[in-house]
């Protein structure tokens, strides 16, 4: 019997390698603070060697989201590609250990090594990501498990996947399978630079194929090339059923048809901001998959994000079910 999934993600399967780096270190290494930069294999090896206190974890934006949601007991899977090398096996094992199916086994045929992102955390908790798109970016339509995507109630797609034609083809194939099975399809805008690279594609995609979109305020402003956030969100809501905007310490804005919800956020000085957006999406999408109302789903997202920024690393250190119980968000 075919398994039904509450939530399935598709994106770059990346091993996050996290270290600390102050402003002087970032300047010396030519690292732009607070953004994700794509780097080549040679620079990846240079930065890896410069890291002093490495913490390795299975990562990738949407993979982090799916792993977080999996700690709630939801049925989850992540579609991505790793090479059959040490980091690839580490990645596949890590996903399985955290309760998320990883249908694509590490492959010896991958031409590039497993993708990795060197993340330097500043004293203020800001993270600067330097990503080598190895095997993960070669994920294509042929790698999409139709049975998994077609039996997903909610499918979450990673904007970064649009950076290569292979990823774009995988994206559309997974979305087609999900819609054919009656599921809902959505995208994360990933980052403002990703939006700049793919603005026309993203706008067409949101209008014609997406049931929901999650982004932060900078991404929404970049998408509509405006300084007026409410205007940008109104335009998005006119072409997409469910629109979500996170805004650091400001309230989260959720637009669903004529409904408007603002979810307050308690400001916390982060130990490490890595994964805040990813875990907001985990809590929010889990809430939607559980049939919770928009405000409750938004509060679940905020609570998940607050948990992950209290420690180093992009995934919850404890099940989100515990986090939700503490703030009165458990079902019933």
């Amino acid at each position: 019997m075919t398994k039904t999934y509450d939530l399935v993600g598709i994106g770059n399967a990346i091993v996050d390698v996290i270290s600390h780096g102050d402003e002087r270190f970032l300047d010396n290494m030519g690292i732009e603070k607070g953004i994700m930069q794509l780097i080549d294999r040679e620079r990846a090896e240079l930065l890896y060697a410069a890291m002093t206190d490495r913490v390795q974890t299975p990562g990738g934006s949407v993979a982090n989201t799916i792993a977080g949601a999996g700690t709630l007991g939801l049925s989850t899977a992540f579609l991505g590609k790793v090479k059959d090398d040490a980091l690839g096996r580490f990645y596949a094992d890590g996903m399985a250990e955290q309760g998320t199916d990883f249908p694509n086994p590490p492959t010896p045929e991958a031409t590039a090594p497993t993708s990795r992102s060197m993340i330097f955390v500043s004293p203020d908790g800001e993270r600067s990501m330097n990503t080598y798109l190895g095997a993960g970016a070669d994920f294509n339509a042929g790698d999409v498990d139709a049975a998994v995507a077609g039996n997903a109630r909610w499918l979450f797609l990673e904007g970064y996947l649009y950076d290569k034609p292979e990823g774009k083809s995988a994206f559309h194939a997974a979305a087609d399978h999900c819609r054919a099975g009656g599921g809902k399809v959505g995208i994360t805008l990933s980052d403002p630079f990703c939006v700049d690279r793919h603005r026309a594609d993203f706008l067409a995609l949101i209008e014609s194929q997406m049931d929901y979109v999650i982004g932060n305020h900078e991404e929404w402003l970049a998408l509509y090339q405006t300084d007026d956030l409410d205007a940008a969100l109104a335009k998005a809501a006119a072409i997409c059923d469910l629109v979500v905007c996170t805004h650091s310490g400001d309230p989260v804005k959720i637009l669903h048809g004529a409904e408007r919800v603002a979810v307050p956020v308690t400001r916390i000085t982060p130990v490490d901001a890595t994964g805040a957006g990813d875990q907001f999406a985990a809590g929010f999408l889990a809430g939607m998959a559980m049939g919770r109302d928009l405000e409750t789903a938004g509060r679940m997202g905020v609570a998940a994000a607050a948990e992950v920024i209290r420690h180093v690393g992009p995934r919850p250190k404890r099940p989100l079910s515990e986090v939700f119980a503490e703030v009165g968000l458990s079902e019933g």
Side-chain angles (χ1 to χ4, degrees), residues 111-123:
T111 54
T114 295
S115 307
R116 72 286 309 264
S117 182
M118 273 63 67
I119 301 171
F120 294 92
V121 181
S122 309

Side-chain angles (χ1 to χ4, degrees), residues 6-10 79 148-149 152-157 171 174-179 183-187 210 212 285:
D6 297 310
L7 180 61
V8 172
I10 177 171
L79 301 174
V148 174
R153 295 176 53 231
W154 290 76
L155 179 69
F156 194 39
L157 304 164
F171 206 108
D176 288 345
H177 291 311
C178 180
R179 272 196 306 278
K184 292 189 178 294
V185 182
I187 183 176
M210 296 296 107
Y212 66 95
L285 291 175

Side-chain angles (χ1 to χ4, degrees), residues 27-180:
D27 285 345
N28 288 344
M29 299 302 291
I31 296 169
E32 190 169 345
K33 184 180 176 183
I35 69 161
M36 192 283 285
Q37 290 179 303
L38 297 177
I39 59 175
D40 59 22
R41 186 171 178 175
E42 185 178 358
R43 181 154 172 80
E45 290 170 355
L46 172 74
L47 292 179
Y48 187 84
M51 301 178 110
T52 53
D53 56 338
R54 301 185 197 103
V55 176
Q56 287 186 175
T57 176
S61 172
V62 164
N64 292 337
T65 294
I66 303 304
T71 68
L72 290 164
L74 296 179
S75 176
T76 56
F78 177 69
L79 301 174
K81 188 178 213 169
V82 295
K83 187 178 176 67
D84 188 9
D85 55 19
L87 281 182
R89 291 186 291 273
F90 168 81
Y91 190 96
D93 291 346
M95 293 300 287
E97 285 167 9
Q98 293 180 333
T100 291
D101 288 354
F102 187 64
N104 298 82
T107 174
E109 278 82 44
T111 54
T114 295
S115 307
R116 72 286 309 264
S117 182
M118 273 63 67
I119 301 171
F120 294 92
V121 181
S122 309
D124 61 0
E126 189 59 78
R127 82 273 195 218
S128 306
M129 297 180 285
N130 302 267
T131 303
Y132 167 59
L133 292 179
D138 295 329
F139 189 80
N140 60 48
D143 295 317
V144 174
D145 189 321
V148 174
N151 286 284
R153 295 176 53 231
W154 290 76
L155 179 69
F156 194 39
L157 304 164
E158 185 174 301
Y160 286 134
L161 214 60
Y162 250 64
D163 280 327
K164 291 187 75 171
E166 293 88 347
K168 193 180 292 191
S169 72
F171 206 108
H172 289 284
D176 288 345
H177 291 311
C178 180
R179 272 196 306 278

